[in-house]
Amino acid sequence: MDKVDVLMLGTGEYTTGYVGGKAADSDKGAGVVALTMFDLRRRNKVNRVGMCGVNGKKFPGIRQHMQRCIGDVYGGMDLTCETFPGDGEVNPKAYVDASATFKAGDVGVIFTPDDTHFDIALDCINKGMHVMVTKPIVQKLEDHQKLAKAAAEKGVLVAVEVHKRLDPFYADARDRIRGGLGNFQYMYAYMSQPKHQLETFKAWAGKSSDISYYLNSHHIDWSEWTLAGVARPIRVTATGSTGVAKGKGMDTEDSITLTVQWQNMNDKTLGCAVYTSSWAAPKSDVHSQQRFFYMGTQGEINVDQAHRGCTVSTDQAGFASVNPLFMKYTPTNGMFSGQGSYGVRSFENFIDACREVNSGSKKPSDFDDGSLATVHTTQQGTAILEAGRMSLDADGQPMDIEYDGDGHTPTAIKPHKFE
Ligand SMILES: NC(=O)c1ccc[n+]([C@@H]2O[C@H](COP(=O)([O-])OP(=O)(O)OC[C@H]3O[C@@H](n4cnc5c(N)ncnc54)[C@H](O)[C@@H]3O)[C@@H](O)[C@H]2O)c1
């Protein structure tokens, strides 16, 4: 199969690990996307690599950072990367010029602030590119529907980057649930980040997105994937907590809880899920707490994704619970050896799928079976997140998610009418 050319859109924490002029103070100081793409090029799956941001003045610092955190750590890693806009330029529309230098069948990987995903993705789709967008793919159901339509018209693969689907514990939980835990009864999910992340994300926190879009999106996607064909979300009620962010001058919630009513498809009985996310957590043994409890009518499962039974303690960094299943940054004999990590596999699966579509051996719709989080199979997640934001803005008003008949694809979100 032919290699693909890849344009990375966004130059921040997830792409390069470079935030505010230095390595991100998180578990991703070397970034994930660029490192993965350079390694995929080394392994002959990717050819040309480009990176596009807004402020070209950041690129000299980004190149130095990537040399220090990738080039110097993993011997022989080629960091060649075309960058947009030019080093002295600032241009929020640089993605239009950058994508114009790529061709149909190439790949766009979008890790930019949530409110920019739609325009950038649509631009790439219209150019015939396959697109992988970080979660949340978009913030509104209406925009999600437009992307799905555009992807179908252009015959390209568009998917959300939701790597928890590839976490062996989460994937096994899904298979156990679908294999015999009956109908959905109840689940709670919690995910947090330490409050210094509010500084990392100050450009958009509370202005164009919130912590629910940022973190609840993970467990909501896992639910949609796990419960596909079993249950569908029909009502969302949201509550928030405040104080920490507002104390830093940011007009946003510290924690958001979405209570989601699910309806089992076979007998119309009800299930309830409670998704809480926070960016006001204290520094801890992990960067991000992440866990859930799931109960079906015939069994239950607990997963603590943050604690994998491995702790590390050093003079420099103190005590930590680590998760090399997500990203294995430690080199083996001087080479990157994290190819089995689900942070990497998430991108590699998408690149492989695009190469299969380009070669004609598969169609984009072949991946609607749950093997990728395609734009056609993830609309419930967007509806839940948007309904949550609508509920918060309407003082806790429950929001109904509507469908055509027994369908699974939401058609609209409406304020719930009390009889
Ligand atoms: N940081 C993480 O751990 C993580 C993990 C998974 C997903 N995400 C998602 O990634 C997205 C943000 O990425 P990040 O965490 O790297 O954030 P970040 O704030 O560190 O970086 C955002 C980047 O987007 C760029 N950008 C903004 N507007 C743009 C435009 N019009 N064209 C091109 N680039 C533009 C900025 O220049 C910056 O490089 C969010 O949607 C978030 O939900 C982040």
Side-chain angles (χ1 to χ4, degrees):
M1 277 187 297
D2 288 343
K3 301 178 196 178
V4 284
D5 292 353
V6 176
L7 174 62
M8 300 180 282
L9 298 124
T11 65
E13 180 178 42
Y14 212 71
T15 305
T16 65
Y18 187 75
V19 178
K22 56 180 183 354
D25 184 12
S26 74
D27 54 350
K28 306 176 202 76
V32 175
V33 191
L35 167 59
T36 299
M37 293 307 152
F38 295 146
D39 190 57
L40 288 174
R41 179 169 59 193
R42 190 178 66 80
R43 292 190 286 126
N44 291 318
K45 294 192 173 194
V46 162
N47 190 24
R48 179 181 173 215
V49 177
M51 186 191 299
C52 175
V54 170
N55 184 354
K57 292 174 194 157
K58 286 188 193 165
F59 284 126
I62 288 173
R63 286 183 205 111
Q64 275 177 14
H65 167 81
M66 292 199 302
Q67 184 58 46
R68 199 172 53 251
C69 295
I70 301 176
D72 295 350
V73 177
Y74 311 110
M77 190 77 97
D78 175 9
L79 306 184
T80 306
C81 181
E82 292 168 53
T83 51
F84 307 85
D87 276 14
E89 291 170 45
V90 176
N91 179 9
K93 291 253 172 191
Y95 67 89
V96 177
D97 302 332
S99 59
T101 74
F102 284 75
K103 59 186 185 309
D106 290 347
V107 178
V109 179
I110 302 174
F111 276 77
T112 58
D114 299 350
D115 64 327
T116 64
H117 295 173
F118 176 73
D119 288 341
I120 300 176
L122 194 61
D123 173 71
C124 292
I125 293 169
N126 284 337
K127 285 169 174 153
M129 295 171 74
H130 306 295
V131 184
M132 180 165 234
V133 191
T134 182
K135 51 76 202 165
I137 175 169
V138 285
Q139 294 173 302
K140 290 185 183 305
L141 178 61
E142 190 187 347
D143 288 344
H144 197 137
Q145 291 163 338
K146 286 181 191 161
L147 286 190
K149 186 164 176 281
E153 280 167 10
K154 287 285 176 180
V156 296
L157 198 48
V158 176
V160 195
E161 200 283 314
V162 270
H163 45 259
K164 287 193 202 311
R165 290 186 178 204
L166 296 153
D167 176 338
F169 292 23
Y170 275 44
D172 184 61
R174 177 199 190 239
D175 290 338
R176 284 176 195 275
I177 289 163
R178 295 180 70 79
L181 294 199
N183 271 346
F184 176 47
Q185 277 275 304
Y186 170 76
M187 82 174 273
Y188 90 82
Y190 176 71
M191 188 157 174
S192 70
Q193 294 217 335
K195 49 176 83 68
H196 68 79
Q197 284 291 89
L198 279 165
E199 300 296 331
T200 302
F201 300 131
K202 65 181 174 214
W204 52 264
K207 294 176 191 148
S208 59
S209 198
D210 62 32
I211 188 58
S212 178
Y213 276 117
Y214 188 64
L215 290 185
N216 276 336
S217 46
H218 282 295
H219 286 106
I220 287 169
D221 174 72
W222 178 83
S223 300
E224 178 173 12
W225 182 53
T226 297
L227 296 173
V230 177
R232 62 184 187 180
I234 56 168
R235 188 168 303 151
V236 180
T237 310
T239 43
S241 315
T242 54
V244 176
K246 286 192 198 287
K248 292 173 183 275
M250 295 175 189
D251 188 17
T252 190
E253 297 85 2
D254 301 335
S255 309
I256 293 175
T257 295
L258 305 186
T259 303
V260 181
Q261 185 90 79
W262 290 73
Q263 180 187 56
N264 288 299
M265 300 304 295
N266 56 359
D267 59 6
K268 302 286 184 274
T269 54
L270 299 176
C272 172
V274 181
Y275 306 95
T276 298
S277 57
S278 175
W279 45 18
K283 273 202 163 192
S284 176
D285 62 323
V286 291
H287 179 67
S288 185
Q289 299 287 353
Q290 27 200 309
R291 52 182 175 262
F292 72 80
F293 167 78
Y294 177 97
M295 184 169 63
T297 50
Q298 293 166 37
E300 61 185 42
I301 297 186
N302 258 300
V303 180
D304 180 355
Q305 202 251 18
H307 299 96
R308 300 304 177 90
C310 180
T311 61
V312 175
S313 203
T314 62
D315 288 340
Q316 199 192 10
F319 177 80
S321 292
V322 297
N323 179 13
L325 294 179
F326 166 55
M327 272 308 277
K328 180 185 177 301
Y329 283 115
T330 45
T332 304
N333 298 330
M335 301 292 280
F336 179 64
S337 57
Q339 292 84 7
S341 318
Y342 56 85
V344 171
R345 285 184 50 231
S346 178
F347 292 100
E348 185 163 358
N349 283 359
F350 186 72
I351 295 289
D352 284 343
C354 294
R355 296 169 72 218
E356 286 175 313
V357 170
N358 289 350
S359 74
S361 63
K362 286 213 172 152
K363 304 185 293 300
S365 57
D366 291 340
F367 299 93
D368 292 340
D369 61 355
S371 52
L372 285 179
T374 69
V375 69
H376 306 291
T377 55
T378 46
Q379 297 186 25
Q380 292 177 354
T382 300
I384 293 173
L385 291 167
E386 184 185 2
R389 187 65 252 169
M390 287 166 68
S391 175
L392 282 168
D393 292 342
D395 218 9
Q397 158 84 40
M399 297 289 159
D400 288 340
I401 300 176
E402 299 188 341
Y403 299 83
D404 276 339
D406 277 342
H408 285 275
T409 308
T411 52
I413 305 165
K414 301 251 175 73
H416 175 68
K417 284 203 181 79
F418 292 97
E419 297 299 326

